[in-house]
Amino acid sequence: MNPNRNGSGYNNWISSLRTDYARSLASRNLDESDVPQPPSDALTVERTHWYIKDNAKSHNTIKFDLVHDKKEPKPILRRGQTFYLAIRFHKDFDVDKDRVVLNFKFGPKPSVQKGTLAVVSIQNQKFTKTKDDWDCRIDAGARGKDLVVQVYIPASAMVGIWHLDVRSGVQDTSRSTAMNLFSDTTDCYVLFNPWCKDDTVYMEDEVKRDEYITNDKGKVYVGAYRRSRGRPWAYGQFDDVVLPVAVYILELSRVADTERGNPVKVVRGISAGVNDIDDEGILVGRWDGEYNDGVPPYQWTGSARIIEEFVKNGFKPVKYGQCWVFSAITTTICRALGIPCRSVTNFVSAHDTNSSLTIDKFFDKEGNELEGGPDGENWDSIWNFHVWNDVWMARPDLPPGYGGWQAIDATPQEESDHKMQCGPVSLAAVRRGDIGLNYDAPFVFAEVNADVMHWGEDPESDWGWSRMKMNSYHIGRQILTKFAGKDDDDGDEDQEDVVGEYKSEEGSNAERLAIHNAIRGSRRAQQYYEYRKDIKEDVVFDLIDIDKIMVGEPFKVKVVVKNESDEKRTLSAYLSARSIYYTGVNVALIKKAEGNFTLEPKQSQDIALTVQYTEYWKKLVEQCMMKIYAICRVQETGQTWTDEDDFQVEKPKLTIEAPNEADTKNLCEITFSFTNPLDLPLTQCHLSADGAGLMRPRAINLKKEVPAKGKFTHTIKIQPRIHGERKLIATFNSKELFDINGTKTITVKKPQ
């Protein structure tokens, strides 16, 4: 019988039955075994009390939904500080007569030697051990049957779920060393602690700490280099579904229990576990526009809905995501676990597939570009943008000076150590060109700083090709993230360009030195930087950049050509406009023009291609990206010139009308609207809305069309859940027009 025949829910139920039966059998065997029993006057534990909310306030975890769960609230603590715990016995506790030991257990095989089992004796009113050890002291509030203790969690403790055993016996071991056992089934979450100086993820700046740990909403930047936009996102790291899945991800990616206190290993595991390739993680990636059996990436508005789907589907990967969704989920998981994290977007991002640190385009003698290069194996590409993450931590595994922000990437692109994972890569190493340091530094270096090289067929070269042109300034034009402490619902005044953290100013001595430093570490790169200098370049070309167009408008591709020589020049030219995915992959040719012309000495001429709205709109895909490509070749000199420009067709903004203030007792009315800019109706309309603390994520199929040039409106009612400043994030999609976004900040007041 197929084990999946009855569905994943049935299989999970069977698995829980097996676990319960095994636990019951082990308990019965223990009860019936012939082992020494503790004295009859030894303490027995009746119950424990975790002071869940009081501890959460001091541990900066009070925002977690699990802390406030009405049925089974969970203690959520941070390592590197103390928490309070109370134990009630069947009789009064006497420190001189009674022996009590706390065993904190982590993972399936707790071990003192491996740091996954902490044995803590309760016998002092002061802490007596070093900061590297678990410790405990009796609190002044202890009295009678109730023993109150303060427990210290070392800043190196494993991050995840811990369980507590309380063993109780007598101090006089001559009578008996046997102890009663009380196993507390409470899941106690221990997280990284960026507030603690002893923790390797410590972040001193309070504003940045608030942004990169406690802010549960934000933006992920997408679009074209000159017309980027912040896509609102509900990270929702405090939602009840998130933290258990964050811990589960570390199991999926097989981060060893002994490594779960090391943020370097943890974030590397997260980068592998968020995608589905090796371990059936949270999200399936897809870039071909075919999403019929899942949700299109642009319909998601937040992480919680995706993670909920993951759980509901029996922990099967959710369809579908692209880089900004992978990055947003990674931000959620990292922040939930206590690792400072930001989503960063690299505009004009290189994907180097052969470790040459270059993006290579090959042209034959006629000036035609060869797809896949001369051997069909060179698939370097340039993405309009690519989104990954920076995480903050010390790097004791690297030489001094390489701590701070580290790049990780959960989007599956290239294998690292036989898995689809990437990072952490020190930004300081990338900036200096130190590509020999762990992990995946050459790949990230090329993403932000690769040179674009054009190769021409050359029979005199040893390998048949010589370099004709190198563009050192095209890649890594901007690297955007949300500015810490700023928030702009209506525009993008809250963006921050952190390109200077990845590389020195383009063309500066420091930037070129970093390139040469990186080349020294790559034999393949050394070969690719050989240069043929004997081609005469006396014709100047200038592709006029397109700044922006609104959907419905025409656009023009224009190249200005000038012959600066004293001789006549004969040229062949090719212009094209294509619809592309943001990864740079071609979708459809919209229009092209080609031909030959002659320029007299010192003469200039414009060549142009005009594209009407009716010619392009049906060929647009998500992100509405266009690529303009121009190739020209001079017959007399063999000079070949190529250039390209990417731009995005802009769309209207989704307006959200809602009260600025609301409360948790009354329904709140929300209205969404925008004007359809197209001269045809919008069909198959869909609205996605999300807002941590405001509402559970909703996916609404709208049973109505939006008329041509007409106004869309839709109203819903929500009941805010948690007080504080909350952000509502929504996206409208239809068959004809998609990814229309909007945000609205609402202050939810405490109930009176």
Side-chain angles (χ1 to χ4, degrees), residues 287-317:
W287 286 266
D288 60 5
E290 298 295 329
Y291 311 121
N292 292 334
D293 59 340
V295 176
Y298 50 80
Q299 284 191 11
W300 301 116
T301 53
S303 302
R305 180 180 160 206
I306 297 171
I307 296 174
E308 281 185 6
E309 289 295 318
F310 180 60
V311 175
K312 289 176 184 177
N313 292 343
F315 297 89
K316 297 296 182 184

Side-chain angles (χ1 to χ4, degrees), residues 657 668-673 687 698 700 702 704 712-717:
E657 297 178 23
C668 178
E669 190 170 272
I670 313 290
T671 299
F672 308 91
S673 65
L687 184 69
R698 291 191 196 179
I700 306 167
L702 304 167
K704 58 184 177 181
F712 162 79
T713 61
H714 185 76
T715 300
I716 65 172
K717 293 184 178 180

